[in-house]
Amino acid sequence: MTTNRRDVQRLTDHLRSSLGDGPFPAPGGWTHMGAVICDASFQARRNYETTIRPRLLALQTAWPDASTVQGFRTRLATCDLATAMNFHDPRRVTIAHRITDLLAAHHVDTRDDLNAWLDHTANRAALRTLHGVGPKTVDYIGNLVGRSQIAVDVHLRAFASDAGLPALSYQQLRAVYEAAAAQLGHDRAGLEHAVWRFKAQAH
């Protein structure tokens, strides 16, 4: 996708003035697939550090056998995810079940499996067919398993608006961030996380 050079320059200028020159390490994600799936399913519009992260750490301790998709799916068949996560939101629980079933159907079992599976456009499109899974969630899942992607959320949109960028589509804004990361020599996921933390701490 071609990007507007002026938009990229506005964003790079704002990145430098707001965040400095880095380095910006990528957050790394999880190796426990139950945590990957629950992170992607439960994190939207919640305070990550106080609400989501502690629950994911507790889930890994309580369900060590859920470190693979099959292990997580076995747990889901006999245990209540809302109780395990201490997060009673039926919609998000359903999303976690849907992602799990789709990955199992595609024989994706480990972090490395999912990382490689996401290389293929058709597989990312398959995730998008799930109700409640949009393009941001697909990119976010990639980062949770060690890929380097820009997942555009409300914080990244707000940062771009502060930089003076016009309202852009998800794909357009992601492309601008990718171009800015390349221009500044930063890892995409590391830059995304730095912007996210900057805006999250401002709230």
Side-chain angles (χ1 to χ4, degrees), residues 31-152:
T31 57
H32 186 284
M33 289 303 294
V36 169
I37 293 166
C38 287
D39 194 333
S41 303
F42 286 87
Q43 57 79 34
R45 294 181 295 281
R46 290 291 185 272
N47 185 299
Y48 189 83
E49 293 299 329
T50 61
T51 303
I52 302 301
R53 183 174 172 79
R55 285 169 166 80
L56 296 173
L57 293 171
L59 181 76
Q60 292 177 84
T61 300
W63 290 6
D65 51 327
S67 61
T68 63
V69 172
Q70 286 297 338
F72 185 56
R73 199 175 188 212
T74 298
R75 277 282 188 173
L76 293 181
T78 57
C79 304
D80 179 48
L81 182 59
T83 301
M85 282 287 288
N86 189 24
F87 199 123
H88 298 276
D89 185 326
R91 177 177 173 273
R92 297 181 194 218
V93 169
T94 298
I95 292 171
H97 278 264
R98 288 171 176 159
I99 293 173
T100 302
D101 289 343
L102 178 73
L103 295 180
H106 284 80
H107 309 291
V108 174
D109 201 39
T110 66
R111 171 189 169 106
D112 289 344
D113 290 344
L114 182 50
N115 187 311
W117 187 77
L118 288 168
D119 277 338
H120 303 282
T121 302
N123 295 336
R124 295 196 299 273
L127 273 174
R128 288 286 311 279
T129 66
L130 301 179
H131 184 68
V133 175
K136 181 258 178 180
T137 300
V138 175
D139 287 331
Y140 184 69
I141 289 172
N143 285 340
L144 292 176
V145 295
R147 297 174 70 83
S148 185
Q149 300 177 169
I150 301 287
V152 179

